[in-house]
Amino acid sequence: MDKYAERKNIGKLICQAREEKNISLEQLSEITGLSSIHLSRIEEGRLNIGIDMLSQILNGLDVKITLI
């Protein structure tokens, strides 16, 4: 899987988690301190993010990652 496809998959999962919790991009922006435009680009897979930013988003969504 190429890097773009991986970013797109992660973005899709973030979007699904946000929608399941009925949180708008604007609300997630307020929770995380990241701009809604930034978050939108992440969800679309157009922006490469680091672990710290991913953690910030997941914490804002109250999503935990379990490693196998």
Side-chain angles (χ1 to χ4, degrees), residues 3 8 18 21 26 28 40-41 44-45 47 59-60:
K3 290 179 183 181
K8 196 162 178 123
R18 181 180 58 75
K21 294 181 182 285
E26 290 76 21
L28 186 57
S40 176
R41 289 180 180 153
E44 293 168 355
L47 190 64
N59 285 335

Side-chain angles (χ1 to χ4, degrees), residues 39-54:
L39 291 167
S40 176
R41 289 180 180 153
I42 292 166
E43 287 186 358
E44 293 168 355
R46 295 179 16 205
L47 190 64
N48 187 21
I49 62 172
I51 300 240
D52 292 338
M53 190 177 293
L54 177 60

Side-chain angles (χ1 to χ4, degrees), residues 4-15:
Y4 178 73
E6 288 177 6
R7 284 196 315 258
K8 196 162 178 123
N9 280 339
I10 291 170
K12 184 177 176 182
L13 292 171
I14 290 170
C15 182

Side-chain angles (χ1 to χ4, degrees), residues 8-67:
K8 196 162 178 123
N9 280 339
I10 291 170
K12 184 177 176 182
L13 292 171
I14 290 170
C15 182
Q16 287 173 348
R18 181 180 58 75
E19 289 175 347
E20 285 175 8
K21 294 181 182 285
N22 294 315
I23 297 174
S24 70
L25 279 172
E26 290 76 21
Q27 290 170 316
L28 186 57
S29 174
E30 290 175 17
I31 293 167
T32 62
L34 302 170
S35 75
S36 58
I37 293 171
H38 216 72
L39 291 167
S40 176
R41 289 180 180 153
I42 292 166
E43 287 186 358
E44 293 168 355
R46 295 179 16 205
L47 190 64
N48 187 21
I49 62 172
I51 300 240
D52 292 338
M53 190 177 293
L54 177 60
S55 177
Q56 192 174 354
I57 294 167
L58 296 179
N59 285 335
L61 292 169
D62 195 29
V63 171
K64 307 295 180 232
I65 295 178
T66 304
L67 299 176

